[in-house]
Amino acid sequence: MVEQQFRLMEARPTGKSQRKRLQRQLEFYLSESNLRQDKFLQQAMDEQSFVPASVFLSFNKLKALKATERMILDEADKSPVIRVDRTRSCIGPKIVPVAGQTQEADARTIYIDSFSAADDHDSLRRTFAKFGKVNLVSLPRFQQSKRFKGFGFVEFSDQSAADKAAAASSDADMGGIRVMTKTRWIGMKEQLKHQLTNADASAASSHPGSVSVPDDAKNTVDSQGKSEQKKRKRRKQTAAEHIHFSGDDGESNDGEDTTTKKQKI
């Protein structure tokens, strides 16, 4: 009984380690990688890029750490990358993200899919950490169900790590995860969009004027139209080799509860 109690006490994080985890979590929230895609924090920021410390209290990661506003301000004050405002009520990044850095970030980001349903941000971070420092793991969700869409993006601190990860896509220890650079993914997405636009334009040009359709033929026309839509959808999937696009650029976690910050550095 005593031994069991000792183990439980040992498993609990000490006050010091708990505060260190809090500081690292705050540093992630206010990192350039996260702020670039975190619309919730973007909207919460004032013109000087400060966010009220109370805003972070609603985040599940900080709830789990039993963080208080005082703890948030204290740990932010100790961080080399976070600043606290004069009123000691808000925190913000010391280096404010600059607009227009998306292209540079894309070059050091990879697209991934075909990973296990059991994988999450932490397991995928561990998988790709061998290639270099991972800044961000983004796993978009469906808006209604909140389920993951089955693909994601991993952003590294430098492009060479992303290139190495993409080159290792066929390695056995990757567990079947398909990888490509985000730059290539964007190119394929634009190419597919162009092909579909041309296909729609071609279909429209073959029917330049409005045609009066007899009532008894409308059902047939509607059926043919739906059939053609299904064919185009199948062509889209085939052309993309089942690569996920779904109108998502991957830098935002669609439908994510904005109070649930699920990634941990």
Side-chain angles (χ1 to χ4, degrees), residues 145-159:
S145 66
K146 308 299 183 186
R147 292 185 298 106
F148 291 130
K149 292 185 175 181
F151 70 102
F153 297 87
V154 179
E155 179 188 311
F156 294 93
S157 60
D158 61 78
Q159 184 177 343

Side-chain angles (χ1 to χ4, degrees), residues 112-218:
I112 59 173
D113 67 19
S114 302
F115 45 84
S116 168
D119 278 321
D120 58 14
H121 295 80
D122 291 333
S123 65
L124 290 169
R125 170 181 285 277
R126 289 192 295 270
T127 297
F128 290 99
K130 61 185 176 183
F131 300 109
K133 182 182 177 181
V134 176
N135 286 348
L136 178 74
V137 176
S138 174
L139 299 177
R141 298 173 183 262
F142 288 105
Q143 188 169 2
Q144 297 298 325
S145 66
K146 308 299 183 186
R147 292 185 298 106
F148 291 130
K149 292 185 175 181
F151 70 102
F153 297 87
V154 179
E155 179 188 311
F156 294 93
S157 60
D158 61 78
Q159 184 177 343
S160 62
D163 292 339
K164 285 189 291 185
S169 179
S170 59
D171 290 358
D173 61 350
M174 291 296 288
I177 299 176
R178 178 167 55 176
V179 183
M180 70 173 69
T181 63
K182 187 177 180 183
T183 303
R184 181 187 173 196
W185 176 84
I186 291 173
M188 294 178 67
K189 180 180 179 180
E190 291 302 316
Q191 183 180 11
L192 179 60
K193 182 179 178 181
H194 180 69
Q195 290 174 350
L196 292 175
T197 300
N198 287 344
D200 289 340
S202 177
S205 64
S206 64
H207 303 285
S210 59
V211 179
S212 177
V213 181
D215 290 340
D216 60 353
K218 285 183 178 179

Side-chain angles (χ1 to χ4, degrees), residues 4 9 11 16 63 78 99 133 146 168 189-190 213 256:
Q4 185 178 9
M9 291 175 64
K16 187 175 181 179
K63 286 181 180 179
K78 298 174 186 176
K133 182 182 177 181
K146 308 299 183 186
K189 180 180 179 180
E190 291 302 316
V213 181
E256 178 194 352

